[in-house]
Amino acid sequence: MLGGGLILLAGVLILLAGRFPLPLGLYTALQGPPMILSAIAAYCGITVALASIIDRIDGVDAVAAYHHVGRWFWWFGQLTALLACTLTLIGFFLPGLGNGVRWGAAVSTTFCSILLIAFLDQAKPATRQQLPCGKNTPANEMLKTCLALILMAVAGMLIYQRYADYRAREQGYAASDEAERRAAKPWIHEFDTLPGQLSVDELKSRVALGGHRLSCFSRAELEPQNRLQEDDTHDCWTNIGEAWGIPAHIVVFGFGQHGLRSQMLRFPHASWPLVEAYLERLGQRQAQTFGVDPSSRRPISGWRIDSGLVFSSAPPSGEEVVVLWNAKDELARLYCRDELSPKAAKKQYGYTVPVAALWPEINCRDFR
């Protein structure tokens, strides 16, 4: 019981960790599932406390609320708290792991820990605990009702607190981003002026010439879902109010082992006609499409330029316009392996136009 209580306490501490100064890596590891799981663990702990208190008050007339209800919440609370702690530790000490590996390791560790706790509990000598005698009087009934209401109120306050914190944080981010956009200078950098394989420092220097300052983070400092591509080594971004004379929101850069490999810009929904017209002037639209946007179910178009391919699609109602650029060298590394294996039953990346047809200067044999 003591071990389980400590585990639940750890889950509650994770839930409240955002209120304390923490290292950036630990703060990043706490975001997402650990926070949600720790909240569930805290609510399970409240339910266990309620069931135990009811049994104590009822005394000899107890209906074994803990046995019938509380113990299941006790075990589930331990499970979620352990999983939250394990995900946090793995995210902090092994930040480079992908989501699948991270969850697999966390679930395996949690399962083994639960088995160990169960074994240790069974190994303890059985002790018979005598419940204090009591009467199921109207006063006791009223006390139970009051305790239940108090615990429900505490649970509700915890839920509201988390929601209020989330809303305040999101509103703060939105206000800060909007202030940065209003103060930002127009984005004037064409895709071809920021070619692939630039280093983070080189990109920062070039962007600084236009009056912009990038915020850059390494792979260890970002969750996979916050990277432009899951295996990015670094990601950089800055808020912008305008790009090439078109209202815009943000520009993001992704880096791989060979340097800069992708760039993404987001525009307001109303900017789509201007964005499409700009892309038509920028490069050569490819005859084929490149898949379907999962949110709008509309085809993704591609435009060839000297430095790579630019992709975009008409956004669904109310959604942002997304423009993605991939460096031609990075595309060659991905697609040339298929071109050199014509007998493959299925192309790994589903790309059918030979790279040399887009950029004759590229020799696929250089990218084996």
Side-chain angles (χ1 to χ4, degrees):
M1 293 290 285
L2 178 60
L6 292 176
I7 292 172
L8 287 179
L9 178 61
V12 175
L13 290 177
I14 290 177
L15 183 64
L16 301 175
R19 297 185 173 275
F20 304 100
L22 297 172
L24 179 60
L26 181 57
Y27 182 80
T28 301
L30 285 169
Q31 301 308 304
M35 282 291 184
I36 298 173
L37 291 170
S38 59
I40 295 173
Y43 303 147
C44 288
I46 291 174
T47 304
V48 171
L50 175 61
S52 300
I53 291 173
I54 289 176
D55 280 345
R56 288 288 181 181
I57 293 174
D58 284 347
V60 293
D61 298 318
V63 294
Y66 176 81
H67 177 76
H68 292 297
V69 177
R71 62 174 179 157
W72 301 110
F73 280 90
W74 179 253
W75 279 105
F76 188 71
Q78 290 184 70
L79 176 66
T80 53
L82 264 174
L83 190 56
C85 294
T86 307
L87 283 171
T88 301
L89 293 175
I90 292 176
F92 180 64
F93 290 106
L94 300 171
L97 291 181
N99 266 342
V101 177
R102 180 184 175 190
W103 272 96
V107 170
S108 301
T109 304
T110 301
F111 180 72
C112 294
S113 300
I114 287 292
L115 289 180
L116 178 61
I117 292 172
F119 173 77
L120 294 176
D121 281 347
Q122 292 295 327
K124 292 179 181 178
T127 57
R128 187 179 184 87
Q129 185 175 5
Q130 183 68 35
L131 289 173
C133 295
K135 293 183 179 180
N136 198 20
T137 63
N140 281 346
E141 291 290 339
M142 179 61 69
L143 181 58
K144 285 192 297 182
T145 302
C146 291
L147 287 172
L149 291 174
I150 290 172
L151 289 173
M152 289 174 62
V154 170
M157 289 174 60
L158 286 173
I159 295 174
Y160 176 77
Q161 180 190 37
R162 296 306 304 169
Y163 175 75
D165 287 347
Y166 169 78
R167 291 292 299 172
R169 186 166 58 249
E170 291 298 312
Q171 290 174 359
Y173 290 155
S176 175
D177 290 346
E178 185 60 30
E180 288 183 14
R181 292 188 188 106
R182 291 178 179 177
K185 293 184 177 181
W187 184 262
I188 58 174
H189 303 281
E190 302 282 354
F191 290 112
D192 285 340
T193 63
L194 302 173
Q197 302 189 31
L198 289 178
S199 68
V200 174
D201 291 336
E202 289 173 334
L203 178 66
K204 282 184 174 181
S205 298
R206 295 198 184 190
V207 168
L209 296 177
H212 295 277
R213 181 179 179 181
L214 294 177
S215 298
C216 296
F217 299 89
S218 68
R219 176 184 178 87
E221 295 172 317
L222 291 174
E223 289 289 313
Q225 64 269 21
N226 293 328
R227 305 171 195 152
L228 202 52
Q229 297 184 53
E230 188 171 332
D231 59 343
D232 281 349
T233 59
H234 291 80
D235 287 272
C236 301
W237 59 78
T238 186
N239 289 305
I240 55 176
E242 177 185 312
W244 317 307
I246 305 170
H249 286 161
I250 192 172
V251 57
V252 185
F253 298 91
F255 294 80
Q257 294 181 352
H258 302 279
L260 179 64
R261 63 179 182 179
S262 55
Q263 180 183 162
M264 181 186 70
L265 291 97
R266 291 185 178 273
F267 300 83
H269 180 271
S271 295
W272 169 243
L274 296 175
V275 170
E276 186 178 27
Y278 170 79
L279 294 177
E280 294 291 356
R281 296 192 303 270
L282 178 68
Q284 177 186 357
R285 184 195 283 259
Q286 299 302 292
Q288 84 282 9
T289 57
F290 298 83
V292 175
D293 187 296
S295 58
S296 67
R297 308 306 302 170
R298 295 173 181 172
I300 299 174
S301 299
W303 288 264
R304 175 207 171 277
I305 59 176
D306 290 341
S307 61
L309 274 178
V310 181
F311 305 94
S312 192
S313 174
S317 178
E319 297 293 328
E320 290 180 311
V321 178
V322 177
V323 176
L324 176 67
W325 166 87
N326 282 334
K328 64 180 179 182
D329 288 340
E330 187 68 20
L331 293 173
R333 290 186 184 90
L334 294 176
Y335 301 129
C336 278
R337 69 186 70 175
D338 287 336
E339 292 187 18
L340 296 175
S341 303
K343 295 182 180 180
K346 182 179 180 181
K347 299 296 185 182
Q348 182 177 358
Y349 297 97
Y351 186 65
T352 56
V353 178
V355 173
L358 296 174
W359 302 286
E361 68 274 16
I362 289 182
N363 184 354
C364 273
R365 298 191 180 277
D366 296 335
F367 293 91
R368 283 183 172 180

